[in-house]
Amino acid sequence: MKNILFVASECVPFIKTGGLADVVGSLPKYFPKEYFDVRVVIPKYAGIKEQFKNQMQYVTNFYMDLNWRQQYVGIFEMEYEGIKFYFIDNEEHFGGSTPYAGMPWDLEKFAYFSKAALSILPTIGFRPDLIHCHDWQTGLVPVYLHERFQADEFYRGIKTVMTIHNLKFQGIWDRKTIQSITGLSDYYFTPDKLEFKRDASYLKGGLVYADAITTVSNTYAQEIQTPFYGEGLDGLMCARANDLRGIVNGLDYNEWNPETDPQIAKNFNAKNFRKEKVKNKVALQEELGLEVNPKTMMIGIVSRLTDQKGFDLISYMMDEMCQDAVQFVILGTGEERYENMFRHFAWKYDKKVSANIYYSDGMSHKIYASCDAFLMPSLFEPCGLSQLMSLRYGTLPIVRETGGLKDTVEPYNEYEGTGTGFSFTNYNAHEMMGTVRYAERIYYDKKREWNKMMDRAMAQDFSWANSAKQYEEMYNWLIG
């Protein structure tokens, strides 16, 4: 039996701000129970729903030294869907209404969390063979393990894996503050360790000391070894290329299933989608006040409205795209200028554009089920889950070839009759526009080809079972 511990700052169903939570909540369920005992530790945030707090059992508490003072560490546990979860309790650090408070408060919070996650292990009687850390918030786990815990017999030989969900976020602050918060000696603050451009970086520490590094798609693993995508760490990524692998995130195929999804107007599957899927479109057109026409091509966007997601390209071309026989349905929040841009076009073309500037899980399911195509022209995309959801619902993705988008969407080839979506290469508004118009042409003039592409899209398997096998192989390789 191999013992694996996931350490992360968020996890569904307890607390979620992004895709990281989906990974940490879903992946552990897919390892074979007879070979792997996978457990998860996250902070006990004030924002966790009462229904979960009421199920948690208090284990014990102790005091831990950090930042020249003794800090309280409470431990709670509960089992959920067959997985054991531990929650680290400390009102001072986790009492806020949201999981993240911004810098520099988060630095202290996650230094505390990383050290506490290691400190509780003997107390809960669980010795992991491997600790799987996620993103910068847990970057100090491999560092602390090396710095002080390794000296203890209990911790000796524990392996660590660091998974990068998005290299843009690294936990960087000035060196003096980080040294004072973490209590690490001068030895750790050199350019080959935590030092980053005269400051210090939590993530860099994790990447230097972890036994292996993964990221959430194969292409992204290659891209971060280049200056454009490497966020200043491309040199380190190249140096550790032999320990770096990309494993595409999976999708929870029970939650995202057009055949059983309770949140959509009409269920459908790979056999009957030609007749049934369009009923979702008509229902959504009625609900959002768009012109009701089952034949009009509908393009969906569900996203954080930020530069990373390619919205500058869309804003250049939105007026022009609205001249075509298409409808746009947008869902999401983010930068004010993009929120207002979509509000403006929804006002200008009220029968063609619906701007829903909020987030709703139910509405996202409706959009994936109703639309014909899904637009995602990202500047960079470590993995992306939206295109996987689109494929699952037979909604063909229109994407830029980067990161996980390149790994999961096969571009349409009309000569070979292959592909599951449409893609373009350069980060260029006119190139995106040309690809959208090409998709329109296939939709209107070659409906049979379009339907065959939907067949292929819905036949793709990006379930977690697939990804879990690759993680399993890596764990076995590391633990031996």
Side-chain angles (χ1 to χ4, degrees):
M1 179 65 87
K2 297 188 166 88
N3 293 341
I4 312 289
L5 182 72
F6 276 50
V7 183
S9 60
E10 54 182 87
C11 170
V12 293
F14 308 108
I15 194 99
K16 171 178 172 168
T17 65
L20 163 65
D22 292 307
V23 178
V24 178
S26 308
L27 180 57
K29 296 187 287 202
Y30 288 87
F31 293 102
K33 298 270 190 289
E34 60 273 26
Y35 301 118
F36 291 94
D37 181 355
V38 184
R39 304 185 186 184
V40 181
V41 57
I42 65 168
K44 183 175 180 282
Y45 296 111
I48 294 176
K49 287 198 181 101
E50 284 303 317
Q51 67 179 93
F52 294 123
K53 285 187 186 161
N54 295 338
Q55 295 172 50
M56 294 177 191
Q57 309 276 305
Y58 168 75
V59 182
T60 183
N61 73 74
F62 56 86
Y63 281 80
M64 165 183 91
D65 68 305
L66 179 70
N67 203 351
W68 305 302
R69 59 194 175 112
Q70 293 285 303
Q71 300 202 22
Y72 170 87
V73 180
I75 310 169
F76 286 77
E77 66 172 31
M78 75 176 270
E79 201 165 293
Y80 182 80
E81 294 187 347
I83 301 294
K84 189 160 245 186
F85 289 88
Y86 298 100
F87 301 86
I88 291 178
D89 178 40
N90 180 302
E91 286 283 314
E92 179 192 346
H93 292 303
F94 307 129
S97 54
T98 55
Y100 309 118
M103 299 298 192
W105 300 277
D106 285 349
L107 292 167
E108 195 166 333
K109 176 191 296 187
F110 292 113
Y112 162 85
F113 174 62
S114 296
K115 197 167 178 188
L118 289 165
S119 302
I120 68 170
L121 297 175
T123 312
I124 60 176
F126 182 68
R127 185 195 177 277
D129 299 295
L130 182 146
I131 300 176
H132 193 152
C133 311
H134 296 267
D135 269 355
W136 76 264
Q137 293 89 346
T138 58
L140 290 179
V141 172
V143 182
Y144 279 137
L145 190 62
H146 175 270
E147 181 242 6
R148 64 186 58 190
F149 288 90
Q150 208 85 29
D152 182 331
E153 188 59 43
F154 178 88
Y155 293 92
R156 203 160 299 148
I158 293 179
K159 300 280 192 225
T160 50
V161 172
M162 192 80 225
T163 292
I164 304 166
H165 295 268
N166 191 339
L167 194 57
K168 200 170 177 61
F169 306 108
Q170 298 180 15
I172 298 169
W173 204 250
D174 73 275
R175 183 191 143 162
K176 214 170 137 190
T177 306
I178 285 189
Q179 193 163 358
S180 134
I181 287 172
T182 58
L184 293 166
S185 66
D186 287 343
Y187 169 82
Y188 288 93
F189 293 90
T190 55
D192 60 334
K193 300 186 185 75
L194 272 76
E195 188 186 299
F196 182 79
K197 298 180 179 168
R198 300 217 171 100
D199 289 328
S201 154
Y202 279 25
L203 181 66
K204 186 179 174 190
L207 297 173
V208 168
Y209 283 103
D211 295 294
I213 301 167
T214 73
T215 181
V216 288
S217 71
N218 226 339
T219 299
Y220 191 61
Q222 304 304 313
E223 287 175 341
I224 58 177
Q225 296 177 50
T226 65
F228 183 80
Y229 293 98
E231 302 288 347
L233 291 176
D234 45 293
L236 174 59
M237 293 290 105
C238 289
R240 296 223 55 189
N242 290 339
D243 306 314
L244 170 66
R245 55 176 81 190
I247 301 175
V248 170
N249 281 342
L251 192 60
D252 187 333
Y253 269 28
N254 299 325
E255 188 192 340
W256 297 94
N257 183 354
E259 200 163 10
T260 57
D261 192 334
Q263 310 203 57
I264 65 178
K266 184 74 192 171
N267 292 113
F268 60 95
N269 58 31
K271 290 196 178 67
N272 66 16
F273 72 82
R274 286 172 175 76
K275 282 211 294 286
E276 303 298 330
K277 181 174 158 80
V278 71
K279 295 175 183 170
N280 289 290
K281 186 201 292 190
V282 172
L284 193 63
Q285 287 170 332
E286 286 168 355
E287 181 181 341
L288 298 177
L290 296 168
E291 184 195 343
V292 178
N293 180 348
K295 291 195 162 65
T296 303
M297 180 177 182
M298 186 188 270
I299 299 175
I301 296 171
V302 177
S303 178
R304 283 190 324 228
L305 307 180
T306 62
D307 278 342
Q308 178 204 327
K309 302 292 186 180
F311 284 103
D312 49 343
L313 302 188
I314 292 174
S315 70
Y316 281 124
M317 288 298 162
M318 192 68 186
D319 220 351
E320 210 172 317
M321 290 193 289
C322 288
Q323 309 307 314
D324 297 359
V326 292
Q327 291 177 339
F328 284 94
V329 180
I330 296 100
L331 174 68
T333 58
E335 291 175 33
E336 203 175 325
R337 56 187 170 139
Y338 295 134
E339 292 186 353
N340 290 336
M341 180 262 294
F342 283 123
R343 286 189 183 107
H344 167 75
F345 286 111
W347 163 79
K348 188 170 174 182
Y349 301 101
D350 61 331
K351 294 294 174 219
K352 281 190 161 183
V353 180
S354 171
N356 305 279
I357 309 301
Y358 55 86
Y359 185 73
S360 145
D361 187 50
M363 179 55 81
S364 74
H365 281 253
K366 287 179 190 173
I367 291 174
Y368 291 119
S370 307
C371 290
D372 300 293
F374 189 88
L375 183 57
M376 206 171 169
S378 303
L379 174 62
F380 65 96
E381 194 63 65
C383 175
L385 291 173
S386 294
Q387 80 280 15
L388 303 183
M389 294 161 185
S390 305
L391 291 165
R392 179 81 168 135
Y393 285 74
T395 297
L396 303 184
I398 301 172
V399 302
R400 190 174 93 81
E401 291 172 15
T402 180
L405 300 176
K406 187 175 179 180
D407 290 348
T408 54
V409 179
E410 186 193 346
Y412 174 55
N413 181 326
E414 58 182 277
Y415 304 104
E416 292 175 3
T418 56
T420 55
F422 301 86
S423 67
F424 60 101
T425 311
N426 298 304
Y427 194 70
N428 175 298
H430 286 90
E431 205 168 315
M432 176 194 76
M433 178 78 195
T435 308
V436 171
R437 291 221 158 126
Y438 179 51
E440 289 172 29
R441 204 171 81 228
I442 305 300
Y443 176 81
Y444 283 116
D445 301 344
K446 296 191 171 175
K447 203 55 189 236
R448 262 193 76 202
E449 289 300 309
W450 185 276
N451 284 336
K452 283 185 191 161
M453 220 184 318
M454 285 171 70
D455 266 332
R456 292 191 291 273
M458 292 178 79
Q460 299 288 305
D461 179 13
F462 290 109
S463 65
W464 270 115
N466 212 343
S467 316
K469 278 199 181 63
Q470 298 177 60
Y471 280 112
E472 234 174 274
E473 184 213 349
M474 178 182 65
Y475 294 163
N476 288 329
W477 163 68
L478 274 173
I479 298 166

